[in-house]
Amino acid sequence: MKKIALIALMLMLCVTTVGAYTFQFIGPPKASGSLSGSVGEVILVEGISDNIPPGVSMTLHVTGPLNFYLTRPLIVQNGGYFSTSVETAGFKEGSYRFEVKQNNEYPLSSGRFWFEVRLIDRALLLTMISPLRQEYNGELEIYGTVQDLGTGGVELTVSGPSGTYFGPEWVSTDLLGRFYKTVNIDGFGTYAVRIVDRAGLIDTVQIEVFRETATPPTTIGPTPSTKIVSASATASRENPAYFVMRTLTGPVTLSTSLGIDWVIEYIDESGNKHVVNNFGADKAETVTIDGKGGTIYIRAYPDQGGDGTVHLYGQNVVSLTVSAAASDRFGELQVPGDTQAERSPVLLLLPFVALAVVVVLMGKKP
């Protein structure tokens, strides 16, 4: 009886040993079962086993909001390694559970063979200003804003039919979170623009570039260009910045950067001079001009003392460039309140009033 019991115990131990298949996740899921990420990221699921034979298949089950369900095959390779990836573009915001289901012929022992990822849809922070459908001209216009980003900058990567065209490379943003980049491209097709900040992926935007083949329909009046052109220069009241802007026909928009209370003076295509100073340092000065395909001369400087870099943005324009020669179009910059037009009419009349009083007093002498 003792021999039979011992044999039975040894058989049980053998069965237990054979059935104790296991693996460990590689990367962040190994350290924690609760992770976070952004919608649009690719989630890599990797693991390694010491005792699951190569060729054995398992299944990754992904469940999430609104009865979301997805599966991926996992095939163990030499050395016990297996992996798959899950593209989360188009996923709803919420929590997703990633669980590896065993092969019944190779049952897994007890352990954590799952992890959860909380996906946040950061694309809601992004507003693209440049069109998502652009006619091919050799350049791709990328212009947008990221809510609450400020001057933190964004990392751009542009890929398309021939591979990677730009990046990954960081570009600056202004106080409003605006970024602008022109990338050279070599043909029409779909281009993917990946936009990342220090917190992670914001979004990957698809821009379709087409080549016009048919004769465009006749339209009444010009169609303004959505292209944004920018230029910048250091400016102070003692040394203002001067620019030349060549316009297209139709409404032209000119705006400044934030952070300093800028004053814009411009001479329009009819030779008339205008001064724009409607807001403080927390809001951009913006003016809309009737473009006629001519030249506008611009002078910019701080409303108060000090100096800084002024960034100008022009829309529906051919070009916007820094030009010291444009200073010849403007007169000497006057200190506020120092011009004759700004003096009080009462002050101008004081000498005449004083003269009248003297005449009256002299007339009353005996």
Side-chain angles (χ1 to χ4, degrees), residues 219-224 248-251 291 316:
T219 58
I220 300 175
T223 301
L248 296 170
T249 55
N316 197 34

Side-chain angles (χ1 to χ4, degrees), residues 28 44 57 84 107 109 136 147 237-240 250 255 343 359-360:
L44 182 62
S57 63
T84 189
S109 65
Y136 177 71
Q147 180 181 328
R237 292 192 67 86
E238 293 75 19
N239 295 291
S255 60
R343 293 179 183 174
V359 171
V360 171

Side-chain angles (χ1 to χ4, degrees), residues 14 134 257 276 297:
C14 289
Q134 302 179 20
S257 51
V276 181
Y297 301 93

Side-chain angles (χ1 to χ4, degrees), residues 237 254 256 261-268 272-279 285-287 289 296-303 330-334 336 339 342:
R237 292 192 67 86
L254 176 67
T256 69
D261 185 5
W262 295 110
V263 180
I264 297 179
E265 297 181 11
Y266 70 92
I267 299 174
D268 63 23
N272 300 315
K273 181 179 176 182
H274 307 264
V275 180
V276 181
N277 186 19
N278 299 319
F279 303 108
E285 299 290 345
T286 302
V287 60
I289 306 166
I296 294 176
Y297 301 93
I298 304 164
R299 174 163 68 180
Y301 51 88
D303 188 35
F330 298 87
E332 184 178 351
L333 182 62
Q334 299 291 327
T339 62
E342 292 173 332

Side-chain angles (χ1 to χ4, degrees), residues 57-130:
S57 63
M58 299 182 291
T59 307
L60 174 69
H61 288 230
V62 184
T63 55
L66 303 176
N67 297 318
F68 178 89
Y69 183 74
L70 176 148
T71 62
R72 288 281 190 275
L74 296 169
I75 311 298
V76 179
Q77 305 298 316
N78 290 328
Y81 176 80
F82 61 88
S83 69
T84 189
S85 59
V86 177
E87 171 64 65
T88 66
F91 280 28
K92 300 292 184 183
E93 187 174 81
S95 294
Y96 292 80
R97 182 182 177 91
F98 293 71
E99 183 172 2
V100 176
K101 298 290 187 178
Q102 67 184 12
N103 183 321
N104 290 333
E105 296 181 10
Y106 297 87
L108 296 173
S109 65
S110 60
R112 180 174 61 80
F113 304 121
W114 59 268
F115 61 92
E116 291 187 350
V117 179
R118 170 70 180 174
L119 290 179
I120 301 172
D121 191 357
R122 301 188 70 226
L124 301 175
L125 303 175
L126 175 68
T127 300
M128 290 301 295
I129 299 173
S130 55

